[in-house]
Each structure stands twice: as structure tokens, then as C-alpha cells.
Amino acid sequence: MNKIVLTAASRVGNVRSNNEDMILAFDRFIRSDIYQTVLAPENLDRFIVAVADGMGGHNAGEVASELVMQSLKFYVNDLPKGLSSGELEEAINDWLQSVHQTVNARGRVNKSMSDMGTTLVGLLYYGKRYFWMNCGDSRLYRLRDGQLEQLTTDHSLFNLDGEKKHSNVITNCIGAGCNDTYIDMIEFTDDFKVGDIYVLCSDGLNDMVPDVIIARMLQEGATANDLCEEAITAGGYDNVSVCVLRYENQ
């Protein structure tokens, strides 16, 4: 039986006064805190690990990220058993459209939350299958055999222009007054291997810490909080939230 060692941390950083990020780690919401647990996938029907990076003035970003994470947790828990991969992807898209409308509606009702929104990156386990999902520019990385690879694609201006680097201008998210949203969702069950290390993060990590350092730290056993500390030491210009999942032999 294999296990997933999960560490999660969300930190406010050195510049901002509040933390607009939120993590959903299995059954726990995390903001300005750290967490660790061990998951045994063979004994579970489903679980979700996700990072949301909120945006918007007057603390509205933290409202958006919390609203989306709470909705996601209950939606995943309430999914019926036995869905095919296609049915699951359709269900997640239905949820996305619904929560997108909810975030936008909350912003219209309360002008201090106008145009609030959030990114979302997640790893979902359902019915013995693994999926990743992405809306925005938060990221999912995988370290395998010493090589760090970004699995998600940033929904950003630079990527539209064909530039493979991070941009502060995103082209897709949940809410933010946008008419439309979409989510990338990929099943990768056959490519989820023992020895892999997965990192979900807000851009507060990858904006401050180069991939080569992230890879080295992971190989040396770094936890999510270690990576947050590295980002804060490097300047910590933004909130930083990280989940590290190590897939190991029991």
C-alpha cells in the first residue's frame, strides 16, 4: 500500500497586510497556518488538494478564495460515486460556472468586493483516478528523477503571446467581473508514480524562487513551509501558499 505525505502552508509574506490565499488540504482549510497529514489513497474514495490565490481590493480577494474553497470542498464530497472521467469533468465544469456566477454576484451586491476573484489549481483523487485542474496562474509542478516540470499552463498574457514566463496579467480566473471562465482538467492516473513529488502553489512562490532552487529543496526533503520560508526570505512581495505531496511506498 502506498501513501501520500502531504504538507501545506500559507503565509502572508513581507509586504501585504492580509492573506488573500487559501488552501484546501483534504478536509482542512488553511490560511496563515501550516498543516501536515498522511493520506492512503487505497482507503479513500476521493480527496481534493487545492490552492486559491484571491484578488481584489479591501480584502475582497480573501473572501473570493474562501468562498470558492468552501464550495469546492462540499461539491467534491457530494459527488455521486461511479462517475466516468468524462462525467466527472463535466460535473467540475458545472461547478466552476456556478461558483463563478456566485463570486461575481457577491461583488455586485457589495461594492467593496466589486471585481473580486481568485485563481484555482488543484489535484483531485476520485474513484481510484487522479486529475489535475487549473483556472488562472497558480501552478502544479512535478518533480520526477530530479527534473521539475510545470504540468499546468498559466492562463496569462505572456502565454497568449507565446512567452514561457510568468505574467501578472492573467486571462482567466473565477469571478473578477469576467463574463466567462474555463478550467483545464486532465486525468493523469497512469502517470502518477511512486517517487513523484507534486507541488501546488500560488505565484508568491514561483515569482520569488527559481525552479532550480525549488527542485533542489524538494530533493533535500523540503516541506511546504520550507518553500514558503524561501519565498519570504527572497522578498516575500506577495502572499505565498504551497502544498507538497510526496507519493511514497508505505
Side-chain angles (χ1 to χ4, degrees):
M1 182 180 296
N2 300 321
K3 64 180 180 181
I4 295 174
V5 178
L6 167 64
T7 61
S10 179
R11 305 281 295 278
V12 72
N14 294 329
V15 176
R16 294 177 181 261
S17 60
N18 65 301
N19 191 348
E20 295 184 312
D21 293 356
M22 177 165 274
I23 292 172
L24 171 56
F26 186 43
D27 60 351
R28 183 76 64 90
F29 298 113
I30 301 162
R31 172 179 283 154
S32 301
D33 200 1
I34 61 175
Y35 177 67
Q36 180 168 340
T37 191
V38 177
L39 305 173
E42 288 85 351
N43 297 333
L44 297 171
D45 175 65
R46 67 194 70 184
F47 66 79
I48 179 78
V49 179
V51 172
D53 183 351
M55 64 197 79
H58 304 290
N59 301 338
E62 66 186 44
V63 175
S65 60
E66 182 172 356
L67 189 160
V68 167
M69 287 307 209
Q70 289 180 339
S71 174
L72 180 61
K73 176 186 176 184
F74 290 112
Y75 189 85
V76 168
N77 287 342
D78 286 344
L79 284 170
K81 294 183 178 181
L83 294 179
S84 67
S85 295
E87 290 170 334
L88 178 62
E89 292 174 22
E90 183 177 349
I92 293 297
N93 187 66
D94 288 346
W95 166 80
L96 176 73
Q97 302 306 321
S98 177
V99 77
H100 179 65
Q101 293 178 17
T102 299
V103 173
N104 279 337
R106 181 77 66 88
R108 287 192 295 269
V109 169
N110 188 333
K111 294 304 180 183
S112 70
M113 298 179 183
S114 178
D115 295 338
M116 71 176 179
T118 185
T119 68
L120 173 72
V121 64
L123 192 155
L124 173 64
Y125 176 76
Y126 169 91
K128 311 304 180 185
R129 287 164 286 160
Y130 291 93
F131 303 80
W132 62 254
M133 61 184 73
N134 177 54
C135 177
D137 66 344
S138 294
R139 292 181 174 182
L140 172 65
Y141 291 95
R142 176 176 62 202
L143 183 74
R144 175 181 289 170
D145 299 328
Q147 299 298 312
L148 189 71
E149 177 185 7
Q150 181 184 345
L151 300 185
T152 53
T153 298
D154 295 348
H155 300 157
S156 70
L157 186 60
F158 279 159
N159 268 306
L160 281 179
D161 293 339
E163 297 183 59
K164 298 301 182 182
K165 60 182 180 179
H166 183 247
S167 168
N168 289 326
V169 181
I170 63 174
T171 57
N172 181 43
C173 65
I174 302 172
C178 300
N179 291 326
D180 302 310
T181 187
Y182 65 92
I183 194 163
D184 296 334
M185 186 168 177
I186 302 294
E187 179 180 355
F188 67 127
T189 307
D190 294 338
D191 198 28
F192 196 89
K193 302 182 183 299
V194 171
D196 285 348
I197 304 173
Y198 293 88
V199 177
L200 297 97
C201 64
S202 63
D203 61 4
L205 177 67
N206 53 267
D207 275 353
M208 303 306 304
V209 184
D211 286 1
V212 64
I213 295 180
I214 295 174
R216 175 180 57 76
M217 291 181 65
L218 290 172
Q219 289 176 291
E220 294 172 354
T223 65
N225 194 50
D226 293 332
L227 292 173
C228 287
E229 283 287 348
E230 185 71 17
I232 291 170
T233 299
Y237 299 143
D238 198 356
N239 306 145
V240 55
S241 296
V242 181
C243 297
V244 176
L245 299 92
R246 296 177 179 271
Y247 190 41
E248 304 175 349
N249 288 315
Q250 187 77 307

